[in-house]
Amino acid sequence: MTTLTDIPRKTRGTAFLIEESAPQDIFTPEDLSDEHLAVGHMVDEFWANEVEPNLPAIREKKPGLAMAVLRKSVELGLTAMAIPEEYGGMAMDLPSLMVTAERMGRDGSYGGWHSAHTGIGTLPIVYFGTADQKRKYLPKLAKLEMLAAYALTEPLAGSDALAARTQADLSADGKHYMLNGQKMWITNGGAADLFTVFAKVGGEKFTAFLVERNFPGVSSGAEEHKMGITGSSTTAVYLDNVPVPVENVLGEIGRGHVIAFNILNIGRLKLGPAMVGAAKNVLAICIKYAKQRKAFGSTISEFGAIQHKLAEMAIRTFVAESMAWRVVGLIENQMHGASAESTGSSQELKAIEEFAAECSMVKVYAAEMLDYVVDEGVQIHGGYGYHQDYAVERYYRDSRINRLFEGTSEINRLVITGMPLKRAARGLLPLFEAARAVLQETESPAAADTSADSELSLVHNAKKIALLTLGVAHQKYGAQLEQQQEIIMNLSDIIMEVFAMESCLLRSRKLAAAGGGANAADACAVYLRDAIAKVELSSRTVLSACAQGDELRRNLSRVRGYASHDPVNAIALRRQIAGRLLASERYTV
């Protein structure tokens, strides 16, 4: 079995566009160690015994109940997983955190409490805290003597975090910063004891502060009435002349954006397995319902239209899962190749930053995957899916927040293309050179890849479409390309689909080499062909905005050639996938 340290190749963020990978180069959930599986089993037992029985009351906001359940998880170390041992933590690796995130994704209400505390609430101190700050706060966070929250968003500064108006002014005696302002949509806001608050020192220098609830002038607003995740705590946080000791500045003054964006990267990656966990649960619920519900003299599971839905739900879940775990492997492998002088937390932070674009891809793809899965879940249930007595109705409402969490999907799409463009401009990624090479090719696209491996050819040709499209857009707009948001959105969709295509292909072949993965192989065959069509459409949109006349016709012809492929019998393949799902009554690869 492959382990994280067995994967030899170290690569750079977004280099998959210009590099080739083999199945043994990627990490998949099938490669998790016995220790990782034991973590999953432990969380499963805790969920079944402590969380599941209390979920109805948690969703109805029964006072103190979510915190009571969260306190029980302290005994298992679930609130201390990411905290170093010297501060009372478990010092578990990234895969362990992802395994836990998948289980917590089963319910957005309780999952919100846990994830906000252990993730964006605690990690800023783990990664950026001084030794004194870590000694003071991390043991309390590990034991849940303090509940943590992350206070970045403001009423007039949502996606544009650097437009924050919260002010931090140094007191006359130089011992405190006086904070004034308002934060919005703060998860755990109603109960948190410690907030990572972002404010501008002197109205300009964006800086992070550790603010305790018991500091004078800190208060929370009323619980927000939300569309979904109703049992999580979401409030405004008000700061009225709050005196924060200078030693509670987190990181460097004026460098708060480094903390904000890196913590968001981690949150985006963790959302991937959480949404996969939710999708698997919805799929299992829908399979069981389809096998029980009868119409026109048979169960609806026998209908081709229902089988199509179940299969497509599984296909998209498989792709999202493959992407997320591939990124986990990339980050872990990067950490193992870091310099000996780096500490564990700084290694992980640098590795996550390297793959920030991939983290955004996981977040965007998984969020849109789950929205599809829950929507079809309601459709499979028919009118009952619209009723609050059925779980899919709640999943439908809970899912919608994921396209807003940790930066909207639009902001993340800006990162997906913007990050590699910046690196290419600095000479850190030979992306423009690769794009020029594709643009200068003289051979016919239809003959560009004569390999008998049609699925690998689809991935290769998708990469060529991505590079050609990016090259044409860069020729047209140069350094101003990032200001063309419609073009960037489409380029990001192309890049994301390429990563998705390659990730599912490599994983399916890794599974096949181990003698398994029948559903994975069929899912990959269907998905690759659907994805290349999406890539072609997005490319046509970009090319039509960047050229006209003969140049446009030449480029469109090349893209058609690259996207050309022999179809498969997708109806038969989806029926095969659905048949295996119905037999097992759960998601299976």
Side-chain angles (χ1 to χ4, degrees):
M1 182 178 70
T2 307
T3 65
L4 290 162
T5 52
D6 288 334
I7 300 173
R9 284 175 66 245
K10 184 177 176 182
T11 187
R12 302 213 60 162
T14 334
F16 67 88
L17 285 171
I18 55 176
E19 293 179 354
E20 300 301 325
S21 295
Q24 65 269 21
D25 293 329
I26 71 162
F27 188 77
T28 73
E30 293 74 36
D31 296 321
L32 289 167
S33 69
D34 290 341
E35 290 80 6
H36 296 135
L37 297 178
V39 170
H41 182 66
M42 174 186 70
V43 180
D44 284 338
E45 285 193 337
F46 172 74
W47 191 274
N49 296 330
E50 304 294 347
V51 181
E52 187 74 36
N54 289 298
L55 282 177
I58 288 174
R59 293 174 192 139
E60 293 174 3
K61 285 191 172 74
K62 181 177 179 180
L65 181 57
M67 281 296 295
V69 175
L70 198 57
R71 286 193 181 93
K72 291 183 180 180
S73 75
V74 173
E75 302 165 15
L76 300 174
L78 295 182
T79 54
M81 297 179 72
I83 295 174
E85 290 179 358
E86 59 264 40
Y87 304 109
M90 304 288 286
M92 289 191 175
D93 61 7
L94 185 60
S96 296
L97 302 182
M98 299 299 112
V99 166
T100 303
E102 180 174 324
R103 273 74 181 171
M104 293 298 171
R106 292 168 175 150
D107 183 80
S109 290
Y110 180 77
W113 285 90
H114 178 273
S115 299
H117 174 72
T118 61
I120 56 177
T122 296
L123 292 181
I125 305 174
V126 172
Y127 291 129
F128 296 98
T130 64
D132 286 343
Q133 289 169 345
K134 291 178 180 179
R135 279 192 295 269
K136 181 176 181 180
Y137 291 117
L138 290 182
K140 295 179 180 178
L141 296 174
K143 297 175 183 176
L144 206 64
E145 292 172 1
M146 300 185 87
L147 180 72
Y150 184 80
L152 174 65
T153 305
E154 297 188 6
L156 299 177
S159 296
D160 186 9
L162 298 184
R165 296 188 177 188
T166 298
Q167 189 92 358
D169 297 304
L170 190 62
S171 62
D173 60 9
K175 294 182 179 181
H176 295 84
Y177 282 95
M178 308 305 293
L179 267 61
N180 287 279
Q182 177 183 348
K183 297 295 178 177
M184 284 290 292
W185 313 123
I186 308 307
T187 305
N188 289 357
D193 307 291
L194 181 66
F195 301 88
T196 300
V197 175
F198 293 84
K200 287 185 175 178
V201 175
E204 295 180 359
K205 299 176 181 178
F206 192 67
T207 305
F209 297 86
L210 297 175
V211 179
E212 298 181 26
R213 178 178 291 278
N214 60 16
F215 289 171
V218 178
S219 62
S220 297
E223 291 287 345
E224 303 290 356
H225 299 288
K226 307 186 294 289
M227 176 190 296
I229 57 171
T230 55
S232 66
S233 172
T234 307
T235 72
V237 174
Y238 302 102
L239 305 159
D240 184 11
N241 220 30
V242 179
V244 180
V246 293
E247 56 266 27
N248 275 33
V249 170
L250 185 63
E252 301 176 38
I253 292 174
R255 300 278 292 168
H257 61 285
V258 176
I259 299 174
F261 298 148
N262 277 290
I263 296 303
L264 287 175
N265 288 335
I266 301 166
R268 289 162 183 167
L269 178 58
K270 285 183 69 177
L271 275 175
M275 290 182 277
V276 166
K280 290 180 180 179
N281 227 33
V282 173
L283 181 57
I285 290 168
C286 291
I287 291 170
K288 291 174 183 175
Y289 180 83
K291 291 180 71 172
Q292 295 168 359
R293 176 68 171 172
K294 288 189 175 181
F296 307 107
S298 63
T299 64
I300 64 172
S301 64
E302 298 177 47
F303 300 159
I306 299 298
Q307 291 186 9
H308 176 100
K309 294 179 188 300
L310 294 174
E312 187 63 20
M313 291 158 76
I315 289 169
R316 299 193 192 191
T317 302
F318 174 77
V319 175
E321 185 177 44
S322 303
M323 294 169 69
W325 284 103
R326 183 182 182 185
V327 177
V328 170
L330 289 168
I331 291 169
E332 286 286 304
N333 196 44
Q334 190 85 359
M335 284 177 60
H336 290 299
S339 63
E341 304 85 57
S342 301
T343 63
S345 58
S346 66
Q347 286 177 10
E348 187 168 75
L349 194 63
K350 289 177 182 177
I352 291 170
E353 186 175 19
E354 179 66 37
F355 296 102
E358 284 84 349
C359 290
S360 286
M361 290 178 216
V362 168
K363 190 269 185 189
V364 171
Y365 187 93
E368 295 178 358
M369 173 277 294
L370 184 56
D371 264 5
Y372 172 85
V373 168
V374 298
D375 186 76
E376 290 289 52
V378 170
Q379 200 69 17
I380 288 169
H381 281 70
Y384 290 110
Y386 205 68
H387 197 286
Q388 289 186 359
D389 284 350
Y390 286 76
V392 290
E393 183 272 344
R394 174 181 51 79
Y395 272 109
Y396 184 90
R397 287 183 289 104
D398 285 356
S399 174
R400 188 59 182 85
I401 189 62
N402 293 303
R403 285 160 56 195
L404 306 175
F405 262 161
E406 315 295 9
T408 65
S409 292
E410 290 73 23
I411 289 295
N412 277 279
R413 279 183 164 89
L414 295 180
V415 174
I416 290 169
T417 296
M419 185 68 75
L421 284 176
K422 288 183 174 69
R423 288 180 175 165
R426 297 201 303 267
L428 301 176
L429 184 70
L431 193 59
F432 297 146
E433 295 85 341
R436 282 195 294 270
V438 173
L439 287 170
Q440 291 167 5
E441 285 182 358
T442 56
E443 63 183 346
S444 167
D449 194 332
T450 56
S451 167
D453 191 336
S454 59
E455 292 188 344
L456 188 60
S457 293
L458 282 169
V459 175
H460 287 168
N461 286 344
K463 290 185 181 184
K464 288 196 171 186
I465 294 173
L467 292 169
L468 183 151
T469 310
L470 181 65
V472 170
H474 188 256
Q475 283 182 344
K476 170 74 173 178
Y477 291 104
Q480 306 304 311
L481 177 56
E482 288 189 64
Q483 298 178 13
Q484 304 297 317
Q485 288 194 351
E486 301 95 328
I487 290 176
I488 291 296
M489 297 293 121
N490 280 279
L491 285 171
S492 293
D493 284 344
I494 294 171
I495 293 170
M496 182 170 61
E497 286 292 351
V498 170
F499 189 68
M501 291 171 72
E502 186 174 62
S503 298
C504 79
L505 175 64
L506 295 176
R507 183 183 175 197
S508 70
R509 295 198 167 179
K510 194 169 185 177
L511 281 161
N519 260 6
D522 289 345
C524 186
V526 173
Y527 185 78
L528 291 180
R529 289 157 179 85
D530 286 352
I532 196 75
K534 295 177 186 175
V535 168
E536 180 183 11
L537 179 60
S538 292
S539 176
R540 290 172 64 89
T541 301
V542 173
L543 295 175
S544 299
C546 296
Q548 54 187 343
D550 289 342
E551 180 186 357
L552 174 59
R553 284 187 284 274
R554 281 194 304 271
N555 288 331
L556 291 175
S557 176
R558 295 188 67 187
V559 169
R560 277 195 301 273
Y562 288 132
S564 178
H565 63 275
D566 292 330
V568 293
N569 186 344
I571 291 176
L573 290 175
R574 283 193 174 92
R575 285 179 179 174
Q576 289 177 186
I577 294 169
R580 298 186 193 105
L581 294 171
L582 290 164
S584 63
E585 294 194 349
R586 63 182 179 84
Y587 170 82
T588 178
V589 297

